[in-house]
Amino acid sequence: MDKKVLLTGFDPFAGEPVNPALEAVKRLNCKKTSNVKLVAYEIPTVFAKSIQHVISAIEKEQPDVVICIGQAGGRTQITPERIAINVDDARIPDNEQQQPVDEPIVQSGPAAYFSTLPIKKMVEAMRAAGVPAAVSNTAGTFVCNHLFYGLMHYLQSYSPHIRGGFIHIPYLPEQTLNSGAPSLCLDHIVKGLEIAAITAANAEEDIKVIGGELH
């Protein structure tokens, strides 16, 4: 039986003309391999609204796997996230000018949720295909972490059979022309995300390899 992976990408924020997450998932929408179908949705970079949009997409699509994707400016690799924490602490406002500080995402919710994706196997598969990738141990405290935590809370509460998680990706080259920040071309991002999605759909268990950090 075919498996379905729901991919989501945020709209542009913080004055950027594009968001690489959205550009990448648009290319992957409706793509199908031998046994995996990808579907993609645009998500607003807005705190509570982002979770509502993803829940609606899950209820409509009934996927086997959900992977939310966001931009992490300054990173050099595609980075599946290990953990989401129960706090909003926004350095900048979201796209509706909300800027929560030190607020829980879910009142009385657990301190954190771990991804249920095979993050190390995904990283290994991307690297094997020549795409720079690494495990990340922080999803920040902005809308990306907010959505990641909200997704995992929903899945654990209502759809524990669906696996889910979050991936951060670097800037596109056109976003860094004046800053010199690291970037990755869209073709490599799309390739990496497709490999990650297919790996997540087909891998029942993760692998145990080094993926930690010293700091």
Side-chain angles (χ1 to χ4, degrees):
M1 182 180 294
D2 286 353
K3 296 182 178 180
K4 183 185 288 187
V5 179
L6 169 63
L7 303 173
T8 73
F10 288 110
D11 61 3
F13 68 98
E16 291 284 348
V18 297
N19 189 321
L22 180 57
E23 298 307 308
V25 301
K26 286 194 297 188
R27 285 202 187 182
L28 292 170
N29 188 37
C30 297
K31 192 157 189 176
K32 192 175 183 303
T33 67
S34 58
N35 72 320
V36 178
K37 180 180 180 181
L38 308 179
V39 293
Y41 281 71
E42 178 177 346
I43 301 297
T45 308
V46 179
F47 279 96
K49 193 175 288 185
S50 61
I51 297 173
Q52 295 165 4
H53 275 65
V54 170
I55 291 172
S56 295
I58 292 169
E59 292 176 346
K60 178 181 177 182
E61 298 291 344
Q62 294 296 306
D64 299 283
V65 177
V66 183
I67 305 176
C68 299
I69 299 152
Q71 166 190 294
R75 294 196 185 179
T76 59
Q77 301 163 303
I78 296 177
T79 49
E81 297 291 347
R82 191 193 301 259
I83 191 167
I85 59 174
N86 191 14
V87 66
D88 290 330
D89 191 3
R91 183 173 56 82
I92 60 173
D94 68 11
N95 283 350
E96 291 188 356
Q97 301 307 304
Q98 301 174 99
Q99 193 172 1
V101 174
D102 295 341
E103 295 182 9
I105 299 165
V106 177
Q107 290 286 347
S108 302
Y113 283 107
F114 284 103
S115 173
T116 52
L117 302 177
I119 58 173
K120 291 186 175 180
K121 187 168 281 190
M122 291 156 63
V123 165
E124 185 179 73
M126 285 188 277
R127 287 177 174 174
V131 178
V135 171
S136 169
N137 294 299
T138 175
T141 55
F142 193 50
V143 184
C144 289
N145 176 76
H146 179 92
L147 178 58
F148 182 14
Y149 186 95
L151 166 68
M152 302 313 297
H153 185 75
Y154 171 81
L155 293 181
Q156 179 160 307
S157 300
Y158 302 104
S159 298
H161 62 285
I162 300 175
R163 290 183 291 161
F166 198 97
I167 297 177
H168 267 121
I169 59 176
Y171 284 135
L172 296 175
E174 56 263 38
Q175 294 178 276
T176 66
L177 294 177
N178 298 316
S179 69
S183 65
L184 192 63
C185 72
L186 184 58
D187 286 346
H188 275 72
I189 292 173
V190 170
K191 179 181 179 181
L193 292 177
E194 181 178 2
I195 291 167
I198 293 169
T199 302
N202 289 321
E204 294 299 325
E205 295 182 356
D206 206 357
I207 53 176
K208 192 170 185 178
V209 296
I210 295 171
E213 299 172 315
L214 294 178
H215 56 83

